[in-house]
Amino acid sequence: MLAHYAEDRAAYNGAVVPPLFQNSLFTFESWDAIDEAFSDPSNHCIYTRGNNPTVLLAEAKIAKLAGGDRARLFGSGMAAISASLFHFLKPNDHVIAIKNIYGPTCNFLTYLNEKMNIETTFVLGETVEEFEAAITEKTKVIYLESPSSLLFNLQDIEAITTLAKARGIRTIIDNTCCTPLFQKPLALGVDLEVHSCSKYLGGHSDLVAGVVIGNEKELLEIGKTESLLFGGKMAPFEAWLLVRSLRTLPIRMQKHQESGMKVAHFLNEHPCVRNVWYPGLKDFPQYELGKKQMSGYSGLMSFELATSDLKQIKDFVNHLEIFKIGISWGGHESLVFAPIISTLKELPEEQFEQLGIFPGVIRISVGLEGCDDLIRDLDQALSCIK
Ligand SMILES: *Cc1c(COP(=O)(O)O)cnc(C)c1O
């Protein structure tokens, strides 16, 4: 259904692929016509920083998929995240966020504290009581990411939004990991859902983008302020690529899930692997919560090698052939990354370990290659661990 949603083949001369409107401005036939457009700029295409038909098409499809009224696309996931936080916050407000949050989001919250005295309290977030205990009279936003980056901690979305609504607190969730296909936070009461479209939504490792999804009122306001004035709008070509990507999202996610599950089981049973973090494994500590609020799992997981010898850990990573070394994830290609490489440059080692991340923790993104080949690749590289 979504493959055709909001498309108008007749207007495209029958073209099966919607056209790319690669233009910065739109001309009008008369004074009255442009005057009418200016009386409702949110629903007209006047200038591409505001609206563009290719971007509007991608926004309509994503909003529909997530069950929101409207979506707004941005030039990156971070542009969408910073816009959504700015939207709800004023100087001296307070935020509650989760500990294992995406690194740059954490850095943005630090920046908000330095610039505007907006303090953030970080909680592990596995129980609703932790959020309740962290609420102060200044708390304006609870910021979630479920599953979280790296260790996939889950938060009980419905319980937390119920608490937040009762206290007049707004909620934002980064739903990048699940995609709007496998988790519907808006239906569970979240105010704004944000994604990096650079991951599974884009899926081909050829675009960087972000999206905010929510109700009509909130999204129209964001459109007029954080989107139009900060100006971090997504470009038409990226939107055109994204429309291409959305067409295959369900089959890509199905394959990521199928291969992810097989790889997670393989790693879980391997003697050289100490621990696997993958919400789809039955022995994942929050497996039941995952089943309740997620309808699928991705190809993203972390595991800890059964050694703390850095040479062996490096050898393992260097011996992988199909899994390429790189950050990001969610594309067609399988990737491997050792978080210690980047995180130790930002955090002292004790803090890193407090988060439950040890030198042997490796993150992989299981791509769309043949799953048997991927398992064989991991198996031969694991022979580096003695
Ligand atoms: C990558 C990522 C982002 C940031 O997205 P960009 O498109 O790189 O700006 C935000 N949240 C999560 C969970 C991510 O993985």
Side-chain angles (χ1 to χ4, degrees):
M1 258 313 284
L2 200 72
H4 304 292
Y5 180 75
E7 294 186 11
D8 182 359
R9 293 269 149 76
Y12 312 150
N13 292 329
V16 292
V17 175
L20 165 58
F21 286 86
Q22 186 66 34
N23 53 295
S24 61
L25 68 108
F26 300 80
T27 57
F28 292 80
E29 280 180 1
S30 65
W31 174 294
D32 285 349
I34 197 166
D35 190 46
E36 189 197 323
F38 268 104
S39 65
D40 182 17
S42 303
N43 291 306
H44 286 87
C45 294
I46 302 171
Y47 184 59
T48 284
R49 174 156 48 80
N51 280 323
N52 170 285
T54 309
V55 184
L56 281 172
L57 177 62
E59 288 172 344
K61 284 176 186 278
I62 292 180
K64 180 78 176 168
L65 180 63
D69 297 339
R70 267 185 193 255
R72 193 83 182 163
L73 283 160
F74 288 81
S76 70
M78 280 313 298
I81 289 166
S82 51
S84 67
L85 282 163
F86 249 100
H87 180 61
F88 287 139
L89 291 169
K90 290 198 174 63
N92 309 313
D93 284 347
H94 174 245
V95 178
I96 304 171
I98 57 147
K99 273 188 185 147
N100 275 312
I101 203 169
Y102 179 66
T105 306
C106 181
N107 297 345
F108 183 68
L109 290 166
T110 306
Y111 168 90
L112 282 181
N113 192 10
E114 285 163 3
K115 281 267 190 189
M116 299 180 163
N117 195 33
I118 297 172
E119 250 188 87
T120 298
T121 302
F122 292 94
V123 297
L124 185 60
E126 290 185 348
T127 66
V128 70
E129 287 76 22
E130 292 168 67
F131 290 91
E132 195 158 16
I135 293 174
T136 72
E137 70 265 30
K138 291 182 171 178
T139 307
K140 290 285 152 51
V141 167
I142 293 180
Y143 186 94
L144 308 175
E145 193 183 299
S146 184
S148 71
S149 289
L150 281 183
L151 298 184
F152 309 96
N153 311 86
L154 309 183
Q155 300 104 57
D156 187 332
I157 301 169
E158 197 168 18
I160 295 163
T161 59
T162 304
L163 167 74
K165 278 190 199 328
R167 304 289 186 93
I169 297 167
R170 313 310 296 267
T171 47
I172 304 172
I173 188 167
D174 182 333
N175 195 27
T176 303
C177 186
C178 279
T179 82
L181 199 65
F182 284 166
Q183 185 164 264
K184 308 277 187 199
L186 295 171
L188 300 175
V190 164
D191 291 307
L192 292 177
E193 172 176 347
V194 295
H195 291 267
S196 166
C197 305
S198 323
K199 313 293 165 59
Y200 287 125
L201 287 172
H204 296 65
S205 302
D206 55 10
L207 69 94
V208 170
V211 68
V212 181
I213 315 155
N215 70 24
E216 182 82 6
K217 174 181 170 288
E218 232 70 80
L219 265 287
L220 283 180
E221 282 173 20
I222 290 174
K224 284 183 202 152
T225 53
E226 288 83 15
S227 171
L228 197 65
L229 304 183
F230 295 169
K233 191 73 203 291
M234 187 198 225
F237 181 56
E238 269 67 26
W240 185 81
L241 286 172
L242 187 57
V243 169
R244 172 278 322 253
S245 299
L246 291 175
R247 240 172 258 142
T248 56
L249 182 69
I251 54 167
R252 284 188 288 109
M253 291 313 291
Q254 203 180 326
K255 174 77 175 165
H256 285 298
Q257 167 169 238
E258 190 186 302
S259 298
M261 196 69 89
K262 283 187 191 156
V263 168
H265 276 108
F266 163 77
L267 291 170
N268 210 25
E269 278 146 34
H270 201 287
C272 299
V273 174
R274 200 173 276 157
N275 206 344
V276 179
W277 292 274
Y278 184 69
L281 286 177
K282 289 226 167 66
D283 51 12
F284 181 75
Q286 294 175 293
Y287 177 75
E288 290 304 324
L289 176 58
K291 276 202 76 143
K292 189 178 92 174
Q293 62 188 21
M294 294 157 60
S295 58
Y297 310 100
S298 70
L300 191 65
M301 69 193 73
S302 298
F303 56 95
E304 188 188 1
L305 294 167
T307 179
S308 46
D309 175 14
L310 202 56
K311 164 138 193 344
Q312 287 186 37
I313 297 166
K314 281 187 188 172
D315 280 351
F316 165 77
V317 171
N318 287 332
H319 270 77
L320 286 165
E321 285 166 7
I322 305 176
F323 285 85
K324 298 296 175 200
I325 303 171
I327 57 159
S328 194
W329 45 269
H332 53 86
E333 77 289 11
S334 290
L335 291 171
V336 59
F337 186 65
I340 194 168
I341 296 169
S342 63
T343 316
L344 266 192
K345 300 205 170 33
E346 292 172 14
L347 287 179
E349 194 158 358
E350 315 83 69
Q351 215 173 324
F352 195 61
E353 292 190 357
Q354 262 175 22
L355 290 174
I357 303 163
F358 299 94
V361 173
I362 304 288
R363 183 185 74 194
I364 55 172
S365 174
V366 174
L368 302 174
E369 302 94 338
C371 188
D372 293 345
D373 294 336
L374 296 178
I375 290 178
R376 223 173 290 128
D377 194 26
L378 288 164
D379 199 29
Q380 62 80 21
L382 281 167
S383 65
C384 298
I385 310 298
K386 306 286 181 257

